[in-house]
Each structure stands twice: as structure tokens, then as C-alpha cells.
Amino acid sequence: MASAVTFKILEDIARDLSGSEITFPTFLDITFQVRAALKDPNLSVEQLAKLIGAEPLMSAKIIRMANSVALNPSGREIADVKSAIVRVGMEAVRTVSFAVAMEQLLKSKQMQPFEDISQRLWEHTSHVAALCRVLARKLAKINGDEAMFAGLVHDLGVFYLMSRAANFPELANDKVELHALLVGWHDNIGHALLSAMGLPESVLEAVRDHETDREIVAINNLSDVLFIANKIANRTASWRDAELDGEIDTSILDTLFNAEALAEIVEESEEEVHSLKAALGG
């Protein structure tokens, strides 16, 4: 029965994502609106503030981020959305929109049957996002904000699949089949969903390949950053069930880092995790 349900879910998703008119899940509504707005080169801060202001939770998160210690060393607090956007930058708005969407989905009533996975997934996502920022800054010398964003959305396919699986109670009771569905399909579906949303090619490639084992001699680009960040997080905060999935191979970390260097990266990322959670109110 569960296999038939899995096939049905994948068939429905394939139909949705291959159509000319893609219906985005409700939890991504505000994210898609923000993404569409940010693609307009003539978008003003006033226009973006008006869009964000219509979503109370997102407004609160943006203001909270603007007043975080990392972005507000002077201690001068901001109380309006427009000023908050100016302080954090327009690209940070994109990151917050995804964070709000995923957080709200995981807290929704429909996701209660998947509560254990949901909690592990959000913890894993936070760690990967933070690790991406650290690795981008220390090793790859690429944009840390873009890397953090890629880390935040890298498992969007898992969120999306769970939102669809929530319509099939029998799947929630079959942990083996559910886990196989999430592990086996989340990267490709996440890539297709983000592609349909018009994200940059560098992010799409990184998300598509983040589970694809390969040799890496040095961390040079966004795909490398996300792949290694995911490996590190799988040692300390994996969303997968080891009893159902077996141990994830993270041996590449021992070829890239000595124990001291890896510990330093993990420690620095923990500070980023706390900062990210504090900024987003998570």
C-alpha cells in the first residue's frame, strides 16, 4: 500500500513541476512573492517593505534580524520594516522568507505525524546554513550570505515531500517507506522546485549535487561548500534515521581537515547557529 502511495505522490509532483503553470504549496506563497519581487531590478525598498509588511510574522523576523547583535553593534534599535530592510539588505529578505515558510510548515497541524523528522530536519538545516557561511568565508572566499541561503534551502525537497505526504496518513505510519521517499527523492525534487522559482544556477547546482559523493581536494565553489557543510552536519545533526538509512559516509572530512581544523570550523559554526536562531527567533 505504501509503495502505491509513494508512486502517487511522485507522479503528482512530476505532473505539477513539468506543467507550464506551477502551483506552489501554500507554505511557499510569501517566499515566491518575495522572490518574484526581488527579480525586478527597479524594485525599491519602499515596495519591498510594503510586501513584507503584509505578512506580520515575516515583518517581525526581519526587524528581529536587523536588531540582532551581529547587525546592530551600536545598539540602536529599529522598529519599522523599511529601516530593517535597509540594515539587513534585500538578499537577507529572501533568506528570511524561506526560513519563515519552512518553520511555519513544520509547526503546522498537518505536519504533526512527522514531528520527530521535522525537528531533526530544522536542526540539520540550521547547522548546514551556518556551516556554509563559515566555509564560504574561511576557505572558498565566496559570498557568505549566498552560501548561507543555499544551506537554508538545500533540503527544501524534504519539506516539500513531507507537505505532500501529509495528505496520506498511511505513509506516516510506514516509517521505512517514508524515509526511503525522503532520502531518495529530496535532492532532485528540491532542485526542480527551486528551478521553477527562478533561483540562480549556482544555487540550483549546489542543491542538486549536495548528496552526490565525489572527490574534493579543495573547497572552491558553492557546490563544494554545501556538500562539505552537509557532510559535517551529518556527523553532528543529521535528520536521517541511522537505523533505517545506515551510517552516512563522512570520511571525506578526514581527508580535507585535521581534527583541530575541523573542530575549529564546527565551533565557529555553532556561534553562527545561535546567531541565526536568535535572528530568526527560532
Side-chain angles (χ1 to χ4, degrees):
M1 182 65 178
S3 295
V5 170
T6 293
F7 180 78
K8 169 67 174 168
I9 291 172
L10 293 173
E11 188 179 45
D12 288 348
I13 291 173
R15 188 183 304 111
D16 287 350
L17 294 179
S18 64
S20 56
E21 291 289 330
I22 296 173
T23 303
F24 287 89
T26 304
F27 78 94
L28 284 176
D29 280 351
I30 184 63
T31 294
F32 185 64
Q33 291 174 44
V34 168
R35 177 62 195 163
L38 288 172
K39 289 173 74 174
D40 180 358
N42 299 314
L43 179 71
S44 68
V45 173
E46 288 80 5
Q47 290 170 319
L48 184 57
K50 187 176 181 180
L51 173 62
I52 301 303
E55 217 297 312
L57 182 60
M58 190 168 171
S59 298
K61 300 279 187 181
I62 290 289
I63 292 171
R64 186 184 183 104
M65 177 176 277
N67 289 322
S68 65
V69 174
L71 294 175
N72 184 28
S74 69
R76 185 177 64 85
E77 291 204 342
I78 281 173
D80 66 286
V81 175
K82 180 183 173 182
S83 298
I85 292 172
V86 171
R87 181 177 283 179
V88 305
M90 285 192 174
E91 284 304 301
V93 173
R94 178 180 65 167
T95 300
V96 173
S97 72
F98 272 92
V100 168
M102 292 186 288
E103 187 182 31
Q104 288 306 106
L105 171 68
L106 295 184
K107 289 180 177 178
S108 66
K109 186 177 180 180
Q110 73 181 102
M111 298 299 284
Q112 285 179 357
F114 312 122
E115 186 176 2
D116 288 345
I117 297 178
S118 296
Q119 289 178 352
R120 294 198 306 270
L121 181 60
W122 188 238
E123 193 67 20
H124 175 78
T125 298
S126 300
H127 278 80
V128 173
L131 283 159
C132 279
R133 188 165 191 157
V134 172
L135 292 170
R137 185 173 58 233
K138 289 176 71 77
L139 300 176
K141 309 300 182 186
I142 60 175
N143 188 301
D145 289 334
E146 183 185 30
M148 185 177 76
F149 175 73
L152 189 68
V153 301
H154 82 287
D155 275 340
L156 185 66
V158 186
F159 289 85
Y160 184 46
L161 281 165
M162 286 199 298
S163 75
R164 302 297 287 259
N167 297 319
F168 300 89
E170 58 267 53
L171 192 56
N173 296 321
D174 191 335
K175 291 185 177 180
V176 174
E177 189 70 21
L178 175 64
H179 199 267
L181 170 66
L182 299 179
V183 170
W185 289 93
H186 75 279
D187 45 358
N188 287 328
I189 286 175
H191 173 269
L193 186 62
L194 293 170
S195 178
M197 297 183 78
L199 264 65
E201 190 61 32
S202 58
V203 175
L204 297 179
E205 288 180 2
V207 170
R208 181 194 64 204
D209 298 335
H210 79 272
E211 297 280 13
T212 304
D213 282 323
R214 55 193 184 272
E215 264 191 65
I216 293 179
V217 178
I219 300 173
N220 296 317
N221 53 46
L222 185 59
S223 285
D224 294 343
V225 165
L226 181 57
F227 177 73
I228 295 303
N230 191 52
K231 287 292 188 183
I232 297 173
N234 276 331
R235 280 192 177 180
T236 58
S238 179
W239 63 268
R240 298 188 186 191
D241 188 329
E243 292 185 7
L244 300 177
D245 200 32
E247 291 297 325
I248 299 171
D249 182 8
T250 60
S251 58
I252 191 171
L253 299 178
D254 301 316
T255 67
L256 283 173
F257 310 105
N258 59 41
E260 185 180 347
L262 185 58
E264 185 180 319
I265 289 169
V266 170
E267 183 179 353
E268 194 170 333
S269 73
E270 286 294 338
E271 295 175 8
E272 290 280 355
V273 169
H274 293 313
S275 178
L276 180 64
K277 287 182 175 180
L280 296 176

